[in-house]
C-alpha cells in the first residue's frame, strides 16, 4: 500500500516554512502543503494544537507530528533521506552544522523578526530604539558570517546550513541591507536564492510581498 504523503502546515511567505520546504524539496519526498491561513480554520486548529505556541511549520508523517523547522530537517534526514545529506553522519561535523543553524535562527531570524514585529505592533510609530538595537545585532552577525564564509565551501549543496541561511538572509537583507563591507555574504545570499529549491520558495512568496510589515524593497 502506498504511504500517504507527508503534510507540511505552513505559509509561503513564512521564513521558517521556507526552511522546512527547502529540506523537503532537497529530500525529493512527496509532500502536500496545507496553508495556515484564515481561509482554512481546520489547518490553524491543527497547528495550534500541536505545539505550545501554535507556530508553524508543522510536519505530519502519518501519526507523527514534528514542529520546529530544525527538528523537521533532523527528521527528514533520518526518516526520508534523499540525494542531499542534510546533516552529516560525522558527529563533530554535525555539531558544527547545528551551531551555524543556531546562528541563523538566533542572531539573524530573531532580530529580523523583532523589526517585523515592531512594525506589526505599532505600524504608525514603531519603536526606533528597539529597531536600532536589532539592526545592530544583524550588522554584528553579518560581520561574523563574512569571516566564517572565508572557509565555508559555498556550492549548490543543501544542508541544514543552507536551509537555515537562505530564508534568514533573504528577509534580513530587506530590513538591514547586507552592505558592501560584507561582499562574501552578499554573494552567498545571491547564490542561495538561485538554488532551485530556494528559488521556488522566493517565487511562491512573491504574491505576498505587499504584506511585509516594514515594506518590501523593490528587488529579489
Ligand atoms: N522556532 C520556530 C519558529 C517558528 C515561527 O516563528 N513561525 C512563525 C511563522 S515564520 C509563526 O508561527 N508565526 C505565527 C505565530 O507566531 O503565531 C521554528 O523554528 O519553527
Amino acid at each position: 500500500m502506498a504511504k500517504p504523503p507527508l503534510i507540511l502546515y505552513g505559509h509561503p511567505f513564512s521564513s521558517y516554512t521556507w526552511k522546512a520546504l527547502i529540506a523537503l524539496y532537497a529530500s525529493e519526498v512527496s509532500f502536500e502543503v496545507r496553508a495556515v491561513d484564515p481561509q482554512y480554520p481546520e489547518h490553524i486548529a491543527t497547528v495550534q494544537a500541536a505545539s505550545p505556541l501554535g507556530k508553524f511549520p508543522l510536519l505530519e508523517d502519518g501519526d507523527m507530528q514534528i514542529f520546529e523547522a530544525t527538528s523537521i530537517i533532523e527528521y527528514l534526514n533520518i526518516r526520508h533521506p534523499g540525494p542531499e545529506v542534510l546533516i552529516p553522519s560525522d558527529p563533530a561535523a554535525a555539531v558544527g552544522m547545528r551551531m551555524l543553524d543556531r546562528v541563523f535562527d538566533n542572531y539573524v531570524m530573531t532580530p529580523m523578526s523583532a523589526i517585523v514585529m515592531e512594525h506589526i505592533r505599532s505600524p504608525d510609530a514603531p519603536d526606533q530604539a528597539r529597531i536600532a538595537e536589532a539592526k545592530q545585532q544583524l550588522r554584528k552577525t553579518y560581520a561574523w558570517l563574512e569571516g566564517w564564509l572565508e572557509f565555508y565551501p559555498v556550492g549548490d549543496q543543501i544542508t541544514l546550513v543552507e536551509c537555515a541561511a537562505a530564508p534568514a538572509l533573504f528577509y534580513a537583507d530587506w530590513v538591514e541591507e547586507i552592505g558592501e563591507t560584507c561582499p562574501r555574504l552578499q554573494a552567498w545570499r545571491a547564490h542561495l536564492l538561485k538554488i532551485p529549491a530556494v528559488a521556488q520558495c522566493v517565487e511562491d512568496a512573491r504574491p505576498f510581498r505587499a504584506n511585509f510589515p516594514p515594506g518590501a524593497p523593490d528587488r529579489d
Side-chain angles (χ1 to χ4, degrees), residues 23-38:
L24 280 160
Y25 290 134
S27 301
E28 295 184 3
V29 64
S30 138
F31 68 98
E32 170 189 329
V33 177
R34 292 195 180 162
V36 180
D37 183 289

Side-chain angles (χ1 to χ4, degrees), residues 14-16 55-57 68-69 105:
S14 136
S15 51
Y16 282 104
K55 290 188 183 281
F56 47 89
E68 290 295 309
D105 274 20

Side-chain angles (χ1 to χ4, degrees), residues 13-17 19 48 53-57 67-70 102 105:
F13 201 49
S14 136
S15 51
Y16 282 104
T17 301
K19 183 171 166 179
Q48 288 293 330
L53 300 187
K55 290 188 183 281
F56 47 89
F67 57 90
E68 290 295 309
T70 300
R102 298 299 77 225
D105 274 20

